[in-house]
Amino acid sequence: MVNYNLLIKEAQNAREYSYSPYSNFKVGCALLCKNGKIYTGCNVENASFGECICAERTAIVKAISQGDKEFLAIAIVGGIDEICDFTYPCGSCRQVMSEFCESSLEIVLFNGRERKLCTLGQLFPNSFDKKSIK
Ligand code: THU
């Protein structure tokens, strides 16, 4: 079973490494593999704004490039101020997740106060992915 509290803690730690001098919006995430390994990621921005990389894609690319490609869950921590809503993965990250993760991937959102659980299938139904071009 997924230890959501541990995954959120790892995402919060990773968030501290966020390089976000342009948006000042820190995001951290923790991606849990089926073998128990956890890959973390943060957003890494660039003066050429189009080159900004989201936390989720950082973690996924780290995992794939180290030979891990089976995932169970991802925790995402963005804004944690009182006024902040949950930080949902952006469209590009949902597309990249759909390449490597099953629709049952658990997505754990934490806003500093409470957590919300959903699945990739709920956030990104009818995706265009590997199955679409067989
Ligand atoms: N960002 C993420 O890292 N993940 C998300 O799910 C949403 C947005 C980053 C991109 C950019 O560095 C900053 O948040 C503001 O958009």
Side-chain angles (χ1 to χ4, degrees):
M1 281 299 97
V2 177
N3 184 338
Y4 298 120
N5 287 340
L6 172 70
L7 216 52
I8 288 169
K9 195 156 273 275
E10 291 283 342
Q12 282 179 298
N13 284 345
R15 183 176 176 277
E16 292 304 309
Y17 296 112
S18 167
Y19 176 75
S20 43
Y22 305 105
S23 71
N24 288 311
F25 190 77
K26 294 181 178 189
V27 185
C29 74
L31 178 65
L32 175 67
C33 302
K34 288 187 181 173
N35 63 16
K37 280 197 226 168
I38 293 175
Y39 288 89
T40 60
C42 64
N43 53 332
V44 181
E45 299 188 342
N46 192 283
S48 177
F49 296 164
E51 304 310 321
C52 293
I53 303 169
C54 290
E56 297 90 323
R57 275 175 284 158
T58 302
I60 292 170
V61 169
K62 278 171 70 177
I64 297 296
S65 62
Q66 304 229 125
D68 279 304
K69 45 181 190 242
E70 294 198 298
F71 308 111
L72 269 183
I74 186 168
I76 304 166
V77 183
I80 51 173
D81 296 338
E82 277 155 45
I83 50 147
C84 287
D85 200 354
F86 295 104
T87 296
Y88 285 89
C90 78
S92 298
C93 289
R94 294 180 200 199
Q95 180 66 36
V96 171
M97 284 177 189
S98 78
E99 183 70 25
F100 299 109
C101 309
E102 291 153 35
S103 58
S104 58
L105 178 86
E106 292 188 70
I107 300 178
V108 189
L109 309 172
F110 183 67
N111 65 0
R113 298 172 299 285
E114 49 182 353
R115 73 185 186 207
K116 181 182 266 188
L117 295 181
C118 52
T119 64
L120 179 59
Q122 287 169 333
L123 292 191
F124 201 49
N126 310 118
S127 60
F128 181 83
D129 57 27
K130 295 195 274 278
K131 297 186 294 300
S132 318
I133 51 175
K134 275 209 175 116

